[in-house]
Amino acid sequence: MMKVATKIAVAGLMAAVIAGAAGCTGGGSKKAKEASVNMFQLKVEIKDALDGYAAAYTAANPGTRVTVETLGGGGDYGGALKAKAQAGQMPDIFVIEGLGGYEIWKDYIADLSGESWVQDTDLAMKVGGKVVGFPVAIEGYGLAYNAEILKKAGIDPAKLTTRAAYEAALKTLDSKKAELGIDAPVAMAASVAGGMWWVAAQHNLACYWGGGLEFTDTTVINKALKGELDIPRFTQYAKYLQLLYKYADQKILLNGSYDDQVGAFAQGKTAFLHQGNWVDPNLKQLGVTFEIGYAPHAFLDTEQKGLYLFAPSWYCVNAKSANLDAAKAFLKAMATTPEGHDYMVNKAGMIPAFKSVTLKPSGQLSQALMAANARGGNYGVFFGMLPDGAGQNVFGPIFDLFAQNPDKMDQFITDMQKAVAGLPKM
């Protein structure tokens, strides 16, 4: 009943808005008040596509104006959102990345349980039985590879399923840098000052939280939330991270930007790239034509073949907004219309979280994720369960320090043990 009621309410609103706009253009009626939906989001890689979709939606829906502000790529989105709230400028649609964000913003988050798209996805964010978040996309990652470089080096990416296999492959690549025309085997970043902490301290650390486990197994991160680090498992993880650090382009690792990292891979200067499928649009813009695939982040002594799949973030609607229904209608259109599907798949290069979408992404990494999703055996990503700011402020500096001193693995493990023990209790 809630679903039907909400659908009727939204339809009624849209009809009213359209009728108001029609009256205005007819010249004889009082001009209807325009609903102005302000969206604040953090995915810099979809900025142009989302700006374009918002403009097209505004043009197709007289009476509603959607504007998008983007802050991401290492920018302090959470801090900026808090500043907006304090200034009385809370956006109508904003982003959270998990329970930590929900706890901060729950007084502003509307119940979306009645929206029609809820029945079309398994990845809506739910808290206490209520739907509170619209899944932005399915994202994921392994270690992206340049198939041509690996082939020239005699490396079969299908066999990169253990840490030992990676160690042998990285040594081979490093020994053939001149022959292969590469600067280093890996393009990875870890700099806090450069805003790239999230590559190492969020996405790579996620391998420790969920790698090698069942997709929904949160045992390891639940222990961390109680202050406990699994030392034997973390030691295996630290050895893998040490390998990536040692064989990474050091300039990019310690000081590089997102553009530096992705650009080096796109130019064939590294064999591997530590990024997710969100780089597909960037690789296209950079003119990449070589074959790309994903190998697993296989950090354990035992074999791992899965990739990491997740809904990394959710759009929330401001429950206190005067434009609440218009904001809901904008998200509904994104999930349910051909134009919305075209935006998500073809324009933004994302993998939608909605089952009714039949379009397939053109990006090679997104296609690799879809294939992995179909195969199964993948791993969950749980950094959204951590307290707000833990990745950037607690783990980020520790991972940055280890990148600067990769031989000091014992210190890295000790620092992480202390950091986990000191995590705020949720």
Side-chain angles (χ1 to χ4, degrees):
M1 289 297 292
M2 286 183 66
K3 175 183 173 184
V4 173
T6 303
K7 187 174 182 179
I8 292 172
V10 172
L13 170 69
M14 296 302 292
V17 169
I18 293 171
C24 179
T25 55
S29 302
K30 184 178 180 180
K31 183 177 181 180
K33 184 179 180 181
E34 182 177 74
S36 181
V37 176
N38 296 306
M39 182 178 197
F40 184 42
Q41 69 97 25
L42 51 66
K43 290 175 67 64
V44 292
E45 64 275 15
I46 66 168
K47 177 185 182 303
D48 292 345
L50 185 53
D51 287 347
Y53 178 67
Y57 181 88
T58 297
N61 293 271
T64 299
R65 174 172 295 279
V66 181
T67 57
V68 181
E69 180 183 358
T70 297
L71 177 65
D76 185 5
Y77 178 87
L81 188 58
K82 290 174 183 175
K84 287 179 180 293
Q86 291 170 356
Q89 299 172 353
M90 193 67 182
D92 303 299
I93 300 173
F94 57 97
V95 177
I96 64 172
E97 296 182 282
L99 287 174
Y102 175 80
E103 287 298 321
I104 294 173
W105 300 110
K106 58 187 177 184
D107 291 342
Y108 285 92
I109 295 177
D111 183 356
L112 302 176
S113 302
E115 295 302 296
S116 59
W117 50 261
V118 169
Q119 305 303 319
D120 194 31
T121 181
D122 294 327
L123 292 171
M125 184 173 181
K126 299 179 180 177
V127 177
K130 294 192 303 184
V131 174
V132 298
F134 175 108
V136 176
I138 295 176
E139 290 188 346
Y141 54 91
L143 195 60
Y145 62 80
N146 180 323
E148 293 179 9
I149 293 177
L150 294 193
K151 185 176 181 180
K152 289 178 183 176
I155 296 168
D156 181 356
K159 295 182 178 177
L160 297 175
T161 56
T162 64
R163 190 178 68 251
Y166 268 110
E167 183 168 11
L170 292 169
K171 283 182 178 178
T172 297
L173 289 165
D174 194 59
S175 69
K176 296 183 176 181
K177 285 191 295 187
E179 175 186 343
L180 298 170
I182 61 175
D183 294 334
V186 180
M188 182 178 182
S191 168
V192 172
M196 295 301 289
W197 59 271
W198 50 276
V199 176
Q202 186 154 279
H203 293 158
N204 194 268
L205 179 57
C207 302
Y208 166 70
W209 303 132
L213 306 176
E214 292 295 322
F215 189 75
T216 58
D217 189 338
T218 58
T219 305
V220 174
I221 199 165
N222 285 338
K223 284 184 179 178
L225 293 173
K226 295 177 182 177
E228 181 182 347
L229 193 70
D230 183 333
I231 295 299
R233 177 180 170 87
F234 192 80
T235 299
Q236 292 189 65
Y237 165 74
K239 290 178 179 178
Y240 175 67
L241 179 61
Q242 183 186 51
L243 279 177
L244 295 180
Y245 277 176
K246 284 190 171 182
Y247 289 104
D249 182 308
Q250 295 301 298
K251 290 182 180 178
I252 295 172
L253 178 68
L254 302 177
N255 299 300
S257 66
Y258 176 85
D259 289 345
D260 294 333
Q261 188 195 5
V262 177
F265 181 75
Q267 294 167 21
K269 294 300 182 182
T270 66
F272 293 108
L273 172 67
H274 194 315
Q275 281 290 351
N277 68 303
W278 47 85
V279 304
D280 273 336
N282 305 118
L283 296 178
K284 181 180 180 181
Q285 291 170 353
L286 292 168
V288 169
T289 57
F290 54 79
E291 182 183 350
I292 301 169
Y294 267 135
H297 280 292
F299 70 91
L300 294 169
D301 294 330
T302 53
E303 193 169 60
Q304 292 173 266
K305 293 185 176 181
L307 302 181
Y308 293 81
L309 305 180
F310 61 116
S313 55
W314 293 264
Y315 294 138
C316 294
V317 175
N318 182 355
K320 301 180 182 180
S321 169
N323 300 305
L324 175 67
D325 289 336
K328 287 182 178 179
F330 177 69
L331 294 182
K332 177 185 175 183
M334 189 183 294
T336 62
T337 67
E339 292 81 8
H341 295 181
D342 178 64
Y343 150 68
M344 289 188 287
V345 177
N346 295 326
K347 301 297 193 306
M350 298 190 297
I351 304 174
F354 302 99
K355 300 172 188 174
S356 61
V357 180
T358 57
L359 300 174
K360 293 183 178 179
S362 60
Q364 294 188 67
L365 296 179
S366 294
Q367 291 176 0
L369 283 188
M370 290 188 73
N373 189 38
R375 286 195 303 269
N378 299 295
Y379 311 124
V381 178
F382 305 118
F383 55 72
M385 295 174 62
L386 293 167
D388 184 52
Q392 180 171 1
N393 302 321
V394 178
F395 300 136
I398 296 172
F399 275 66
D400 192 341
L401 184 62
F402 186 38
Q404 298 172 44
N405 305 278
D407 290 329
K408 295 185 177 180
M409 191 166 65
D410 290 345
Q411 184 63 53
F412 173 61
I413 295 171
T414 299
D415 289 345
M416 281 297 294
Q417 192 171 20
K418 291 178 180 177
V420 167
L423 284 175
K425 300 299 182 288
M426 298 176 69

